[in-house]
Amino acid sequence: MAPTCPRPLLRYRSFAILLFTPLLLLPLPITVPTREAKCAYIIIIMAVYWCTEVIPLAVTSLMPVVFFPLLGVQSSKSVCLQYLNDTNMLFVGGLIVAISVERWNLHKRIALKVLLILGVKPALLMLGFMIVTAFLSMWISNTATTAMMVPIVQAVLDQMDNTEHDVTMMEQATGQTNTVIELEEKNASDPTPVQVISNGQVLDGTRSSEEKKMKKRICKGMTLCVCYAASIGGTATLTGTGPNMVLKGQMNQLYPNNNDVVNFASWFGFAFPNMILMLVLAWIWLQCSFMGFNFKKSWGCGTVRTAKEKAAYNVLKAEMKKLGPISYAEFNVLIMFALLVLLWFSRHPGFVKGWASTLFPEGEKYITDSAPAVFIALLLFILPANKPKFIGWNSSMSDPEQTEEDIKKPFLSAPLLDWNVVQRKMPWSIVLLLGGGFALADASANSGLSAWLGHQMTPLGSIPPWSIATVLSLIIAVFTECTSNVATATLFLPVFSSMAASVKIHPLYVMLPGTLSASFAFMLPVATPPNAIVFSYGHIRVLDMVRSGIVMNIIGVFCVTLAINTWGRPIFELDTFPTWANSTTNQ
C-alpha cells in the first residue's frame, strides 16, 4: 500500500505549487514592505513557476503586467513597454526571415549540397551533419533545424543498413555454394570440413553480433551529433537562440548608455570562433565515444568507397534530385538572406564607419540591428514568389496563344511570405518570454533590488574573476538541463550584472559565459527540443545522453572560459570596468 500512496498526491502537484508558492512567500512583502522586497516576491514566484512549468512559460511571463502595478513596483505603462522593445523586434524580424528560408526548403538544399561535397566516409559524414546543422541553426530555430536534419540522417542510416544486409546475404549464399562444392570434391568420411563449417558459423555469429553493436553505436553517434550541433550552432549569432537575445535586451535595459557594445558583428566575432572550437571538440568526442578514432577507416585514406558509403551517397543524391533546380522564390530568399547578413555586419563594424553613420545623419544613434531585420522582413511580404510576366497593353501585340485569363492575372504573383504562414510558425511564446524577462530586469533595476543584490555580493571581490566566471558557467549549465534556456538566462543575468558591479569587473565578463552556458543543455531529452526530437527516434537511451552530455558540458565550459580570457578581451575590452556600467550603478 505504501508505494501507491504518493500517486494520488501527484494529481495535486500543480495545484499545490500554484497555490502554496505565493502563500509561503507572502511574509516577504508583508514583513519588509519595500519596493525591492515586492519585486523579489514576484521574481521568486515566477522562477518557481518557470522551473516547474505548472502553467505555460509564456503565461508566467505575463505576471509582471498584473502584479508589478498592483504592488506598486512599476506602472503598467512602464511594464508593458518591455514586451515589444527593440530586442524583441530584432528577434521577430530574424524569425520571419528564418520562416521564409524554411518555407521554400532553402535550408534543405544547403544541407544536402554540403553533405554531397564533404563525402560519406564515416568521420566525414558525421562532420558533415554537424557542420550543416550548426550553420543552419545560426539562422533558423534549433528545433526546425533538428526536425529537418534527423529524417535525412535516418534515411542515410536505413539505406546503409539495407545495403549491408543485402551484401551479407550475398556473401552467405556464395559461402554456402563454395562449401557444397568442397564437400562434394572431398571424401564424405573426412570430418574436418564439417568442423570447419561449425567453427565458421561460430565466427560468423560472433562477427554478426559485433557488427550489430557497432551499428547501434554509429546510429547513436550520428543522431546525437545533430542535436548537439544544433545547440552549439545557435550560440554563434545574436538571433540564433533565445538566451543571446536576453543578453542583448538586458544590456540595453540595465546599461542604456553602453554604446551598443553587444551588436551582431561584435557578438559574431566573439561567439563564432567559440562555436567552431566547440564543434570540433564535440566531433572528436563523439567519434571516440561511438565510432572509434581509426584514422584510416574513418577518413578512408586511399580506400575504395564501400557499398554502404555508395548507398548513403545515393540517398543524398536522390533527396537533392527531388528538390529539382533552384526556383525563383528560393533564389529571392537567398538574396534577401545574404543582404540581411551583410546589413547586420556592415551597420557598425567597429574598425570602420558603418552604413548607418555614413548614409544617415546620427544613424549610429538611431539605427540598431532591428531596423535591417524588419526591413528585410517587409520585403519578403512584397517580393513575388514567381517571376513577373511582362504582357503588352494591346492583345494584338501579345502572343496570339495567350489566353484572356493570363492577361487578367496581376503583374506581381503571391509574395514570398503570407501572414498565415508566419502566424502559424512564429514562436510567439518565446517573444512573450523575452518580454517578461526584460520587464523583470527593468523592475529589478528601478526598484533597487539589483543594487541590493550587488551590495550583498561585495565579498566575492577577493576571488579571481576567471574562477567566478567558470563556476557561474557550470551552475548555469547544470540549471539549464531542467529549465528553459531562455528562462534560465532571464533569471540569472540580472543577478550576474549586479555582482559584476559590486566587485568592479566588466559586466560582460560574467554575463557572456552565463548566456552561452544557458544553451549547453546536452544531458537530458527534456532539456531542449532538439534533444527530445532525437530521443524520439529510439536509437538512444537516457543514459547514453547523460554520459555524452556530461563531457559536452565540460567541453562547453572550457571553451567559454578560454574565449572570454583570450579573444573576448580585446573585442569587448573586458580588462576594464567601463564608465557606462559605473554611471548606471550610481544612478
Side-chain angles (χ1 to χ4, degrees), residues 366-445:
Y366 291 108
I367 300 171
T368 64
D369 285 328
S370 61
V374 176
F375 171 66
I376 297 298
L378 289 173
L379 289 180
L380 290 169
F381 288 98
I382 298 170
L383 294 176
N386 298 310
K387 199 172 182 180
K389 293 182 180 179
F390 294 90
I391 302 170
W393 290 102
N394 299 323
S395 57
S396 57
M397 294 172 64
S398 59
D399 189 345
E401 294 182 1
Q402 187 176 358
T403 62
E404 189 70 25
E405 191 177 326
D406 290 332
I407 297 173
K408 288 180 180 178
K409 284 181 181 178
F411 173 65
L412 292 178
S413 63
L416 293 166
L417 267 185
D418 63 75
W419 186 248
N420 289 333
V421 174
V422 173
Q423 194 171 357
R424 191 170 65 250
K425 293 194 173 185
M426 177 71 75
W428 297 109
S429 59
I430 303 295
V431 177
L432 288 175
L433 191 54
L434 287 173
F438 300 150
L440 290 186
D442 190 50
S444 297

Side-chain angles (χ1 to χ4, degrees), residues 198-236:
S198 176
N199 291 342
Q201 286 173 347
V202 172
L203 288 171
D204 285 347
T206 306
R207 186 169 55 189
S208 174
S209 176
E210 287 175 359
E211 284 176 357
K212 282 181 180 178
K213 286 180 181 177
M214 190 60 191
K215 197 190 303 175
K216 282 184 179 179
R217 292 174 70 84
I218 289 173
C219 286
K220 289 176 182 179
M222 287 291 187
T223 49
L224 271 177
C225 81
V226 173
C227 63
Y228 287 170
S231 295
I232 293 168
T235 63

Side-chain angles (χ1 to χ4, degrees), residues 16 235 243 272 288 396 403 459 471 514 560:
T235 63
F272 184 72
C288 295
S396 57
T403 62
V471 170
V560 170

